Amino acid sequence: MMSVLGDKSIGTLELPRVLEALAGFAVSAEAKERCLALRPAVTPAEAEERLRQTGAARAMLETRGAPSLSGVKPVAPALQRTQMGGVLNTRELLDIASVLRAARTVRSYHASGVKGAPSQAALDGLFARLCGDKPLEDRITGCILSEEEIADHASTELASVRRHMRAAASKIKDVLNRMIATHGKYLQDALITQRGGRYVIPVKAEHKGDVPGLLHDVSSSGATLFIEPMAVVQADNDLREWEAKERKEIDRILAELSAECDDARELLLEDYDALVAIDAVFARGKLASDMNASSPLLNGRGVTNLIRARHPLLDKSKAVPISVRIGKDFDTLVVTGPNTGGKTVTLKTLGLLTLMAGCGLQIPASDGSEVAVSRVYADIGDEQSIAQSLSTFSSHMTNIVAVLNEAESGSLILFDELGAGTDPVEGAALAVAIIEQARRQGCRVAATTHYAELKTYAMTTAGVANACCEFDVETLRPTYRLLIGIPGRSNAFAISQRLGLPEHVIDAARERVGLRDAALEDVLAQLERTRLAAENDRAAAEKTLADSIEDRRRSEELRLRIEREYEKASESARAEARRILDEARAAADEAARELARIKYAKAAAELPDLRRKLREAEDALGGGLSSPEPEALFDKPPAPGTEVLLVSTGIRATVLGTPDKNGLIPLQAGIMKVTAPLEGLRPCEAKKEKKPKPGGVSLTQTAEPVAMELDLRGQLTDDGVLMMEQFIDDAVMRKLPTVTVIHGKGTGAMRAAVHAALRKNKSVKGFRLGKFGEGESGVTVVTL
C-alpha cells in the first residue's frame, strides 16, 4: 500500500500521465482500469517478475503480433445473478460466449509459439490459467444468433412452435389478400399492416360498415380505419397463442443456458481474470515498443545508474538524453546551474523512471541501465496555499517534514530548490541540515539548489557529489547536459553582460559579492575552463580514434573485396580451363568415333569389289582356291528351312515359306527378313564355322547376325575403346536393344575407359555392371 505522501509524490512525478498512456494500449475496460491503478512494487523480486512479463509480451508482439482480446466484457455481475437463480438475457449470454472464445483463441496464440522459449516463458503461468469451454461456447452461439434473435434449432419445441406461427401468419395473409382483391374499392390502400400486433387492413372511413371486423386504430386525419376483419380474428388469436408459447420456450432456453453458465461460474471468472491480466501485460509491452524503451537491471542495494535516459513525457525528437547515477560512489547528489537549465527535469526523470521500473514498465534509457527498487518521495514545485496561509517556504517545509517522518532506509528523496524562499544564509544552513538528516536515515538524496554553500558542502563531504546542468554562455541557452562531479555556476554576471547591462554596474555587483563567494566563483570558472578544454581534447581524441577505426574498416573492406575478386577471377579461370579441356576431349573423342565410322564404311564399301575380284581370280585359276559356287538352279521352290545362297549379294539365307503371288520367296538373312525370286537363289553347302578372333568382329561376317558380346580382354585401352565404338555402331545399325562388353576385372583401367566412353556416346541410353551369373564387375551391360 502506498501512503498518502507516496501517492502525492507519484502525482508530483507525473506517473499517472504515463499510466494514462499505458491504459490507451489496453483493449478491455477492466484492463484499462488496472493500468491506471498500477503502483510500484514493494520488493525487487515483484518488480523483476513484472519486468520479465513485460519483456515477454513485447517479444511476442514483435514476433507474432498481439493476441485477440476483443469481446472481453465483465461477466461477474451476470454470474452473480445466476448464482441467485436469475435468468440471463441474450446480451449477457453472448458476453460470456465472447469470454470463452477469447480464452480459446488466446490459448491457441500461446500454443503457436516455441515451447519453453525464453521470450514467452515468463507468461506461461498466466496463459496456463486459461481453460475455455468449447461446448458451452458453441451451445450459446448456436442458440443465440444476436441480441434480438434466438435460432429455430435452439430446441425442437421452438422449431415446432415457429413452424406453426409461420403457418398461422401465412393463413391470415392469404385471407386478407383475398379480401383486398374483393373489397379493394373499400380500402384506402391495397396493403396489409399491423396494429397492436394484430393484422389489419386500411379501410376508408365512409365504408366502415362494408368491412365487418374489429377497429384497432384510426389515422390522424380520421380518413382511414385500421380494421381486423372478422374472418381473421380467430386466426390472429391462434397466432397470439403460438407467440406466447414461443416466448415461454425462449425463456426456458435462456434459463437452461443460464444454469449451464452458473455450473461453469468458477471457470468463467478465472478465464476472465486471466484475460484481463494478459491484456494489461500486453499493454505494457505495447507502451515499451512505442517509447523504444528497455528493461533496466533491478536491485535492492540502492544503486541507480541511468544511461542516456529520457523523460517519457517529453517529445522524443527534442528531449536531450541525460546520464545520472546515485547510490554507489555517493548517496547524495547536489545539482546546480542556471534556471531553465534542466535541473528539475533531471530530478523528475530520476524519480519517474524509478517508479516506472517498480511498476514493471520498461524505461526510455539505454541497455545496461540499473534502477534501485525503493520508495520515492518528491518535494518539487511551488505549492503555496492562500487558503492555509502558507508561503512558498512554509509549504516546502511542511512537505519536507512529512517526508523525513515517513522515509525509511533506502528511500529516494528528491528536493527541488532546497532551502529556497527564505534568508539565503539560513536557507543554505537548513538545506545542509536536512540533507544530513536524510542521510542519517539511510536515504538517497538528489537536490537542486543555487546556494554556493551547498556546492562547497558537496565538494568537501564524503558520499556527496556535485552535478550541474551545462549552460552555453555564448548563446545564453542551456544544453540540458548533466555533468556529474562538477558544480554549476549561476552565470548571472555573464548573462547580464551578454544582455547589455553596463560594465560598471556588473563591476559594482562583483564588489558586493563576498570574498569567499567570489573565490568560489573564480574556482568554478577555472574548473569550467579546464573541463571545456578537456572535453575539446577528448572530442579530438575520439574523432581521431573514430577516423582510425573507419580507416581500418575501409582497409578491411578493400582487402576482403580484393580477395573476393581474386577468388572470383581464379574460379573463372579454372572454369574456363575446364571448359576448354572438356571441349578438347569431346572433339578428340568425336574425331576417334568419326575415324572408326569412316574406316568401317570404307571397308564395307570395298567388300563387293573384293568379292568380285575373288570370284574372277578363282575362275582364272580353275577353282583351285575354293570350290566353285553351284550354278544349278532350283527346279522347284525350296522347302522352308532350306539354306540357300542369294546370288546378288553372296549372303546365305534360310527359306521361311512358300512363294507369294508375285513369286517372291521369304528369306531370313541374319537378323533381316528379305524376299527374292527363285532364279536369284542357288543351293549351297553347309557353312563351316570359323572361330572368331577374340575381341574382334570380321568385316566378312557382316552377313551373319551381329554378336551380342564384345570381348576386350587383352586389348590396349585406346584400341579397346575404338573396337567398342565400332561394335556399338554396328549393334545400333542392327537395332539391338542391349549388348555386353567384356572388359575383365584386372586393374579396372579398361572398365573405367569403357564407362567414360559410354557416358559420352549419344547412342547409349544407359549401362550397368553385370549381376551374379553375368560376370559381375568384369562385364558391362549396355542399353542402346
Side-chain angles (χ1 to χ4, degrees):
M1 285 289 293
M2 292 294 295
S3 65
V4 175
L5 187 58
D7 282 336
K8 182 178 179 182
S9 296
I10 284 174
T12 299
L13 294 172
E14 300 180 284
L15 179 63
R17 290 184 58 191
V18 175
L19 298 182
E20 287 175 7
L22 174 65
F25 289 107
V27 178
S28 62
E30 186 162 337
K32 292 179 183 294
E33 293 176 3
R34 291 192 186 186
C35 290
L36 293 173
L38 189 61
R39 290 297 179 267
V42 177
T43 64
E46 183 183 355
E48 184 67 39
E49 177 63 21
R50 292 181 183 180
L51 263 180
R52 280 197 297 269
Q53 291 181 344
T54 303
R58 182 177 179 181
M60 295 171 76
L61 284 167
E62 292 172 352
T63 56
R64 283 180 280 160
S68 176
L69 292 163
S70 59
V72 178
K73 305 280 182 64
V75 295
L79 293 173
Q80 189 174 6
R81 285 203 296 114
T82 64
Q83 195 175 16
M84 296 184 293
V87 177
L88 305 182
N89 57 38
T90 54
R91 178 68 267 162
E92 291 169 322
L93 288 167
L94 288 175
D95 287 345
I96 289 174
S98 295
V99 169
L100 292 172
R101 181 171 56 254
R104 175 171 52 83
T105 56
V106 172
R107 282 190 66 187
S108 298
Y109 167 88
H110 178 250
S112 66
V114 179
K115 295 296 183 184
S119 61
Q120 70 176 40
L123 293 176
D124 285 348
L126 204 53
F127 282 106
R129 292 173 55 191
L130 297 172
C131 299
D133 190 336
K134 188 70 163 57
L136 178 56
E137 175 192 343
D138 291 342
R139 177 99 170 93
I140 294 174
T141 56
C143 292
I144 304 175
L145 302 181
S146 69
E147 290 187 53
E148 295 80 22
E149 185 178 4
I150 304 294
D152 289 356
H153 55 262
S155 72
T156 54
E157 177 65 20
L158 182 62
S160 174
V161 169
R162 286 183 172 174
R163 188 165 56 251
H164 285 92
M165 288 174 60
R166 287 190 289 269
S170 177
K171 179 180 178 182
I172 293 171
K173 290 178 181 178
D174 288 343
V175 173
L176 293 178
N177 282 327
R178 287 195 297 271
M179 290 191 68
I180 288 174
T182 57
H183 296 73
K185 61 183 178 180
Y186 304 136
L187 305 180
Q188 198 71 261
D189 295 294
L191 57 84
I192 300 171
T193 185
Q194 282 187 317
R195 288 294 186 274
R198 311 284 291 192
Y199 284 99
V200 296
I201 54 178
V203 179
K204 296 177 181 178
E206 60 269 24
H207 294 291
K208 64 179 179 179
D210 297 318
V211 182
L214 302 177
L215 178 65
H216 286 281
D217 197 7
V218 180
S219 67
S220 57
S221 64
T224 303
L225 308 178
F226 295 94
I227 294 176
E228 179 185 11
M230 293 302 299
V232 298
V233 169
Q234 185 55 45
D236 244 338
N237 291 339
D238 292 341
L239 180 59
R240 298 289 80 75
E241 289 181 11
W242 286 116
E243 288 176 348
K245 290 180 180 180
E246 178 195 34
R247 286 192 296 272
K248 183 178 179 181
E249 180 60 16
I250 289 174
D251 290 342
R252 188 195 67 78
I253 292 170
L254 294 179
E256 186 177 280
L257 292 175
S258 299
E260 291 181 30
C261 291
D262 186 58
D263 292 340
R265 189 170 66 88
E266 296 299 327
L267 177 147
L268 285 167
L269 291 174
E270 180 68 12
D271 275 353
Y272 175 75
D273 188 68
L275 287 170
V276 170
I278 290 170
D279 190 0
V281 170
F282 273 85
R284 301 206 301 261
K286 294 172 187 175
L287 178 66
S289 294
D290 183 67
M291 293 192 305
N292 193 25
S294 63
S295 290
L297 303 173
L298 300 182
N299 68 80
R301 308 186 315 274
V303 176
T304 294
N305 182 22
L306 300 178
I307 304 171
R308 295 186 58 78
R310 291 179 290 102
H311 194 288
L313 300 178
L314 296 179
D315 189 337
K316 288 185 286 188
S317 62
K318 297 179 181 178
V320 177
I322 63 169
S323 295
V324 58
R325 65 184 186 275
I326 190 172
K328 185 177 181 181
D329 302 324
F330 48 86
D331 57 34
T332 301
L333 189 65
V334 177
V335 185
T336 53
N339 290 328
T340 71
K343 299 190 303 297
T344 303
V345 172
T346 297
L347 290 189
K348 285 190 171 183
T349 302
L350 176 60
L352 180 55
L353 267 55
T354 299
L355 293 174
M356 288 176 61
C359 290
L361 302 176
Q362 293 186 352
I363 62 174
S366 297
D367 290 335
S369 294
E370 192 170 4
V371 173
V373 177
S374 62
R375 295 183 181 275
V376 181
Y377 299 96
D379 176 53
I380 298 175
D382 186 2
E383 298 186 6
Q384 179 174 242
S385 173
I386 297 176
Q388 297 181 14
S389 301
L390 294 177
S391 66
T392 300
F393 176 78
S394 299
S395 174
H396 280 294
M397 194 54 58
T398 300
N399 288 338
I400 291 169
V401 170
V403 167
L404 292 177
N405 286 336
E406 187 171 311
E408 57 190 21
S409 179
S411 297
L412 174 63
I413 303 177
L414 307 174
F415 293 128
D416 188 29
E417 299 295 345
L418 182 60
T422 187
D423 178 78
V425 176
E426 294 179 353
L430 269 175
V432 172
I434 290 169
I435 291 175
E436 284 295 314
Q437 177 59 33
R439 296 185 67 200
R440 280 192 294 272
Q441 292 178 211
C443 301
R444 294 165 298 143
V445 179
T448 65
T449 184
H450 286 284
Y451 293 145
E453 288 82 357
L454 263 69
K455 301 176 189 178
T456 304
Y457 166 73
M459 294 173 66
T460 58
T461 306
V464 183
N466 269 303
C468 69
C469 292
E470 189 180 50
F471 189 86
D472 189 341
V473 180
E474 296 299 321
T475 61
L476 298 183
R477 290 183 179 179
T479 66
Y480 300 108
R481 292 176 57 203
L482 182 68
L483 307 174
I484 294 179
I486 301 173
R489 300 173 59 200
S490 63
N491 293 302
F493 294 156
I495 293 173
S496 301
Q497 186 174 18
R498 291 281 298 174
L499 293 175
L501 191 67
E503 187 70 27
H504 67 275
V505 176
I506 295 174
D507 290 338
R510 282 198 178 100
E511 291 175 359
R512 290 182 176 274
V513 174
L515 294 178
R516 183 179 175 187
D517 292 343
L520 178 60
E521 285 296 316
D522 289 341
V523 170
L524 295 181
Q526 182 61 37
L527 285 173
E528 181 72 8
R529 288 191 292 270
T530 303
R531 181 187 66 80
L532 291 176
E535 285 198 354
N536 291 335
D537 293 342
R538 179 180 177 182
E542 288 179 347
K543 185 178 185 304
T544 302
L545 178 59
D547 292 343
S548 299
I549 294 174
E550 180 65 16
D551 291 342
R552 181 176 178 181
R553 184 187 65 78
R554 290 178 180 174
S555 298
E556 185 66 17
E557 287 182 355
L558 180 60
R559 183 185 65 80
L560 293 175
R561 188 165 62 251
I562 291 173
E563 287 181 356
R564 286 194 295 268
E565 292 295 333
Y566 175 78
E567 183 62 27
K568 184 177 179 182
S570 298
E571 181 60 30
S572 178
R574 285 193 292 269
E576 182 66 15
R578 285 194 296 268
R579 184 187 65 78
I580 293 172
L581 184 58
D582 290 342
E583 289 181 355
R585 286 175 177 168
D589 292 342
E590 183 64 28
R593 286 194 294 270
E594 186 63 26
L595 180 60
R597 283 194 291 270
I598 292 172
K599 289 169 65 178
Y600 184 86
K602 182 178 181 182
E606 292 176 350
L607 181 59
D609 189 48
L610 290 173
R611 284 179 172 162
R612 181 181 57 75
K613 289 180 180 180
L614 178 61
R615 286 195 296 272
E616 289 177 355
E618 289 176 345
D619 291 342
L621 294 174
L625 296 178
S626 62
S627 301
E629 292 183 1
E631 296 294 336
L633 299 174
F634 287 105
D635 55 356
K636 63 177 181 179
T642 303
E643 192 171 20
V644 298
L645 185 69
L646 281 166
V647 177
S648 59
T649 62
I651 297 175
R652 290 172 179 266
T654 302
V655 177
L656 296 177
T658 58
D660 59 12
K661 61 182 181 179
N662 296 321
L664 300 178
I665 298 173
L667 305 170
Q668 180 74 46
I671 63 172
M672 295 185 294
K673 292 182 179 180
V674 297
T675 58
L678 182 62
E679 56 270 18
L681 305 179
R682 298 290 186 272
C684 64
E685 298 177 356
K687 179 176 170 58
K688 296 180 180 179
E689 286 191 18
K690 293 182 181 180
K691 185 176 180 180
K693 294 180 181 179
V697 179
S698 174
L699 292 175
T700 60
Q701 294 174 326
T702 55
E704 300 297 328
V706 70
M708 300 290 287
E709 294 181 352
L710 174 64
D711 191 350
L712 300 180
R713 288 175 294 184
Q715 300 292 329
L716 296 175
T717 302
D718 292 340
D719 294 340
V721 171
L722 182 58
M723 293 168 64
M724 184 187 68
E725 296 285 358
Q726 296 172 356
F727 174 66
I728 288 177
D729 288 343
D730 196 24
V732 171
M733 292 174 63
R734 298 306 177 94
K735 298 184 179 179
L736 295 181
T738 59
V739 293
T740 302
V741 179
I742 304 172
H743 43 64
K745 299 180 180 178
T747 63
M750 180 62 79
R751 179 175 65 243
V754 165
H755 287 186
L758 290 174
R759 290 189 187 95
K760 299 175 182 178
N761 195 315
K762 297 181 180 179
S763 299
V764 175
K765 182 178 181 181
F767 60 88
R768 63 174 175 82
L769 289 174
K771 300 178 182 177
F772 181 76
E774 293 180 332
E776 301 180 11
S777 61
V779 302
T780 295
V781 180
V782 184
T783 303
L784 302 175

